[in-house]
Amino acid sequence: MNLANTNIPVIAIDGPSASGKGTVAQLVAQKLGFHYLDSGALYRIVAYAAQQKGIDWNDANVIAECAKRLTIAFAGEQVLLTTPDFAQKDISNEIRTETIGKGASQVAVHAPLRAALVEMQHAFCKPPGLVADGRDMGTVIFPDAPLKVFLTASTEVRAERRYQQLRNKNQPANYESILADLQERDARDKNRAAAPLIMAKDAILLETDHLSISDAVNTVLQNFQQKMYK
Ligand code: CDP
């Protein structure tokens, strides 16, 4: 797919774990009636599928080959996976655990896997537009996106948000270990060679420590209107 020749607008929202980008991206997509790509879910699905097959998350080539054999479908909030080993299965809850989150950040360092997922991500870019959420949406996957946003918050605020999220889901949560885990994941995302987490030069920065979700959504929408109708 040659994205340079399409006029389909893309809003790329990148940022670290628990920065609120998933919530903001989904609300922006809803308001505009755009499609939504949760690219982190793809890395989570691969980590889950590899775990099911007993594949080591550090095995770059085997992981990439495993990813190529997956059929992934999103139906609203549902994540549906089909593999050569099992018929379609709803894995929406399984991929949201902290263990799989950790696995996703481990498999995401592999360049062959990232390459294997590019086409799948481009396929989300359909009329009337796309809001894409991840780490490399504006830098690698949709470098021509008319609006790029880098959404972030301090590590402490992000750890507090993740802690509350887990508590609300009645899952075990320990603030100190969540903080340590976020720091480890940030370091891995920023320091990897393949598509590291970095703010695109032409992105706008949104610091959300003191910004509500609705203010963040409105800021993205205003910037989008300005870019599209300037
Ligand atoms: O929920 P959280 O922000 O922790 O993670 P996520 O967005 O679901 O992504 C899971 C992991 O996938 C992240 O820790 C990243 O290492 C990786 N990822 C990536 O490398 N590139 C993307 N475009 C999206 C996620």
Side-chain angles (χ1 to χ4, degrees), residues 14-19 21 38-41 43-44 96 100-101 104-106 108-109 114 121 133-137 141 162 182 185 188-189 192 195:
D14 290 308
S17 283
S19 54
K21 64 189 166 15
D38 172 4
S39 62
Y43 293 93
R44 287 174 178 269
R96 297 293 163 198
I100 293 298
S105 111
Q106 266 173 259
V109 305
R114 304 198 72 88
Q121 294 175 84
D133 142 18
R135 304 293 189 284
D136 60 343
M137 297 297 99
I141 305 296
R162 183 56 46 98
L182 275 182
R185 255 200 248 184
R188 194 155 40 220
D189 284 353
R192 70 184 175 215

Side-chain angles (χ1 to χ4, degrees), residues 6 8 15 44-45 64 107 126 135 148-149 151 161 166 168 193 217 220 222 224:
T6 72
I8 303 166
R44 287 174 178 269
I45 292 165
V107 300
K126 289 185 287 198
R135 304 293 189 284
K148 299 177 187 176
V149 178
L151 203 93
R161 286 180 189 160
L166 291 170
N168 292 342
V217 169
V220 174
Q222 277 160 14
F224 181 63

Side-chain angles (χ1 to χ4, degrees), residues 192-228:
R192 70 184 175 215
L197 172 64
I198 182 174
M199 180 169 151
K201 285 194 197 79
D202 48 351
I204 60 160
L205 175 65
L206 273 189
E207 300 260 13
T208 67
D209 274 23
H210 306 291
L211 196 67
S212 70
I213 295 284
S214 66
D215 285 345
V217 169
N218 287 332
T219 307
V220 174
L221 290 170
Q222 277 160 14
N223 275 275
F224 181 63
Q225 300 300 336
Q226 277 167 17
K227 291 271 181 191
M228 297 307 285

Side-chain angles (χ1 to χ4, degrees), residues 152-165:
T152 189
S154 65
T155 325
E156 290 72 20
V157 166
R158 289 186 286 123
E160 180 61 32
R161 286 180 189 160
R162 183 56 46 98
Y163 174 78
Q164 292 302 341
Q165 261 173 13

Side-chain angles (χ1 to χ4, degrees), residues 69-92:
R69 292 194 200 98
L70 305 178
T71 305
I72 295 165
F74 292 92
E77 298 277 292
Q78 275 188 333
V79 179
L80 305 167
L81 176 66
T82 312
T83 78
D85 303 319
F86 56 77
Q88 196 174 69
K89 187 163 152 184
D90 180 349
I91 55 161
S92 320

